[in-house]
């Protein structure tokens, strides 16, 4: 029964619900307050222990750093001269490195000569493609008549997934905007080759014994006698490709015309990116053909000679059709088709093979073959034999009439330009050559495709920023970086003092105020400082101690560091200091063993205090303070249960007391009612 629902228990009891509630509260105070106080103290101890553990963990971080070999392997770099930045990783050998930067890596940058008033200006009124080769892939970017400068720039970037970027530059003048076509990455192998490109697969390894290689490029034919390329038995793919290239270059040198085209960049004959095959480019878009005649390779000692294509799976560049139409209608055709101003009367064509008849009619108009028509898969295909534009329209009173005529033969109106023809119109100029970085490293020539180089020696990173004068060298000096060690020592002293002051606060007892810390009397907490000081102030087996390195104790028990003394002592013999801090070797019973240094011992001590470990028997060994933490957590749970049980006992006791007093009131009420009845009967009898 809830005490709050009762008003007066009864006249005879003379006891109200307030009286019982007061009795209950008195009992709760005397029975629950001690438990509540113990819970409060437990929670305070847990809070303070967590705070202490965090401080000890920070201190242990110093111990671990000062007992870790990598801390003493940090390196500093200084550079004498300009053009090079350097960073050194841990453990790099102390040394002076001589560097001369001969050439910086550059990405390929190409400027289109066409100029525009705005980014939204029409790029061209022609239908064409922009063809180029980059990093092993041939790209053909469709350009529709009426496309804007911005659209063409974006289509180049999208088609190459950003490997080649179309960038619009504002260069100035009445028409200030120009298109730049740039390679994202630097290096010779990331050059953009415009026009037509033919690339071989990997050249086979082995000894090339015979055959002829004919290359038709730039209107010239180069011929190489493969039996004279000088390959020896065992040549790998790269060796054979390089040997063939060398012979091709010798043949080019015999032809001043072709050599001039190579020098200007119009013609490129070289190796593909991995160096295992050949690559040919004609920047004007001219066709390239390769013929391998009777080439034979001896793969290994004692094997027979086998025929080879030298990796040329494709032997010519593809000639793209300028115009590929749609299906041509069968039945009666009407109207006049105009190609480059010449009319083809379609009304004379009425049959089931109209595509062939239209093609024949077009070819009949162009007797000189400047425009040729053919049929593929029922579609008209038109090409310009000399690379000139093809203009298509029709005779009609309106655009709708013209389009109807064109649609009947699967064509659309407009001006169409070949990729080679449009390249001339674009007037592309290479304004930055794709090239590798070239440097000498201690006299050895190194070549990389980037200006940030981290693979010459492990742990050293170089950034090339400018070319070095020919007769000078940049000196990169790799030295010790001990500044971090002094900083770590200072941090150790600071963290130790924080731990010391914290523990003093936790275990203190003030006799005047009789105020005690939450862990007063706790020997585990009190012993931490004693254990730390035992190691900090002790000498090792070689008579070394931290006092020699500038660490001393103040009168109040805290530590202080003389940084100058530390630096002086450390620099006096770094290896000696490292062995004292980390570990050293000693001969024990005839065996050489590694003995922990002072900070390794402090690290192990701290680990034993703050972390759990798996023992040799596989059992988990609790850290001293971790065990205390779990003990406090377990005590808290027990106290909470005890408080709950006590509260439930008190609640039950006073609920039962209230119920009993109600029953007593009911009994007294009945007795009083009976007494009243008898009294009334007596009074009635006396009044008669």
């Amino acid at each position: 029964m809830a005490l709050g629902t009762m008003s007066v228990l009864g006249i005879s009891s003379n006891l109200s619900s307030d009286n019982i509630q007061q009795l209950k509260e008195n009992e709760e105070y005397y029975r629950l307050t001690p438990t509540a106080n113990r819970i409060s103290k437990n929670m305070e101890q847990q809070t303070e222990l967590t705070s202490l553990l965090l401080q000890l963990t920070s201190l242990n971080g110093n111990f671990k750093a000062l007992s870790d070999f990598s801390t003493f392997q940090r390196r500093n770099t200084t550079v004498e001269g300009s053009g090079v930045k350097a960073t050194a990783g841990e453990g790099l050998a102390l040394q002076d490195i001589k560097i001369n930067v001969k050439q910086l890596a550059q990405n390929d940058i190409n400027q289109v000569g066409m100029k525009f008033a705005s980014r939204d200006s029409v790029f061209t009124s022609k239908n064409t493609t922009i063809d180029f080769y980059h990093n092993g892939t041939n790209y053909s970017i469709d350009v529709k008549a009426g496309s804007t400068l911005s659209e063409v720039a974006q289509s180049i970037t999208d088609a190459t997934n950003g490997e080649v970027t179309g960038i619009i530059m504002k260069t100035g003048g009445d028409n200030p905007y120009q298109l730049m076509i740039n390679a994202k990455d630097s290096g010779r192998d990331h050059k953009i080759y415009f026009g037509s490109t033919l690339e071989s697969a990997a050249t086979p390894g082995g000894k090339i014994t015979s055959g002829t290689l004919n290359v038709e490029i730039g209107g010239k034919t180069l011929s190489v006698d493969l039996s004279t390329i000088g390959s020896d038995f065992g040549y790998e793919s790269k060796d054979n490709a390089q040997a063939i290239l060398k012979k091709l270059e010798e043949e080019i040198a015999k032809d001043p015309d072709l050599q001039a085209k190579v020098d200007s960049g119009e013609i490129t004959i070289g190796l593909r990116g991995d160096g295992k095959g050949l690559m040919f480019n004609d920047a004007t878009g001219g066709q390239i053909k390769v013929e391998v005649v009777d080439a034979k390779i001896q793969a290994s000692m004692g094997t027979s000679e086998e025929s080879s294509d030298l990796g040329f799976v494709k032997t010519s560049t593809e000639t793209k059709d300028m115009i590929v139409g749609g299906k041509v209608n069968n039945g009666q055709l009407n109207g006049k088709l105009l190609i480059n101003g010449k009319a083809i009367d379609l009304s004379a064509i009425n049959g089931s093979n109209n595509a062939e008849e239209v093609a024949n009619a077009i070819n009949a108009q162009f007797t000189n073959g400047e425009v040729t028509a053919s049929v593929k898969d029922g579609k008209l295909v038109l090409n310009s034999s000399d690379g000139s534009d093809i203009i298509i329209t029709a005779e009609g009173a309106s655009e709708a009439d013209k389009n109807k005529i064109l649609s009947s033969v699967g064509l659309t109106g407009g001006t169409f330009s070949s990729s080679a023809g449009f390249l001339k119109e674009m007037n592309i100029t290479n304004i930055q050559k794709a090239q590798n970085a070239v440097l000498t490293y201690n006299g050895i020539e190194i070549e990389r495709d980037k200006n940030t180089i981290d693979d010459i020696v492990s742990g050293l990173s170089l950034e090339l920023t400018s070319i070095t004068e020919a007769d000078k060298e940049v000196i990169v000096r790799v030295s010790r970086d001990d500044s971090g060690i002094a900083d770590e020592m200072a941090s150790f002293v600071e963290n130790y003092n924080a731990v010391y002051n914290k523990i003093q606060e936790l275990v203190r007892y003030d006799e005047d105020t009789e105020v005690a810390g939450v862990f007063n009397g706790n020997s585990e907490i009190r012993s931490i400082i004693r254990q730390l000081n035992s190691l900090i102030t002790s000498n090792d087996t070689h008579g070394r101690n931290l006092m020699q390195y500038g660490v001393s104790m103040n009168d109040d028990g805290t530590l202080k560091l003389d940084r100058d003394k530390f630096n002086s002592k450390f620099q006096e013999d770094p290896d000696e200091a490292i062995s004292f801090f980390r570990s050293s070797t000693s001969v024990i019973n005839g065996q050489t063993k590694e003995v922990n240094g002072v900070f390794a011992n402090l690290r192990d001590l701290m680990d034993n205090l703050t972390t759990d470990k798996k023992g040799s028997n596989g059992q988990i060994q609790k850290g001293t303070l971790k065990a205390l933490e779990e003990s406090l957590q377990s005590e808290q749970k027990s106290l909470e249960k005890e408080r709950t049980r006590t509260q439930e006992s008190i609640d039950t006791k006073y609920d039962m007391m209230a119920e009993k007093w109600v029953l007593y009131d009911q009994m007294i009420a009945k007795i009083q009612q009976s007494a009243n009845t008898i009294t009334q009967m007596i009074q009635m009898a006396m009044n008669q």
Side-chain angles (χ1 to χ4, degrees), residues 34 112 143 243 404 515 571:
V112 176
V143 178
K404 185 176 180 181
V515 174
Q571 293 301 328

Side-chain angles (χ1 to χ4, degrees), residues 39 53 79 87 100 185 244 269 276 348 475 534 547 554 566:
I39 291 174
L53 282 168
V79 178
T87 56
N100 180 280
D185 295 322
I244 294 171
I269 298 177
K276 294 181 179 180
I475 307 299
S534 174
M547 311 308 149
N554 295 313
F566 171 81

Side-chain angles (χ1 to χ4, degrees), residues 640-654:
E640 294 286 359
K641 289 180 180 179
E642 180 182 339
R643 180 169 63 179
T644 299
R645 286 195 301 268
T646 302
Q647 184 66 62
E648 289 174 350
S649 172
I650 293 171
D651 289 343
T652 300
K653 174 181 177 180
Y654 283 92

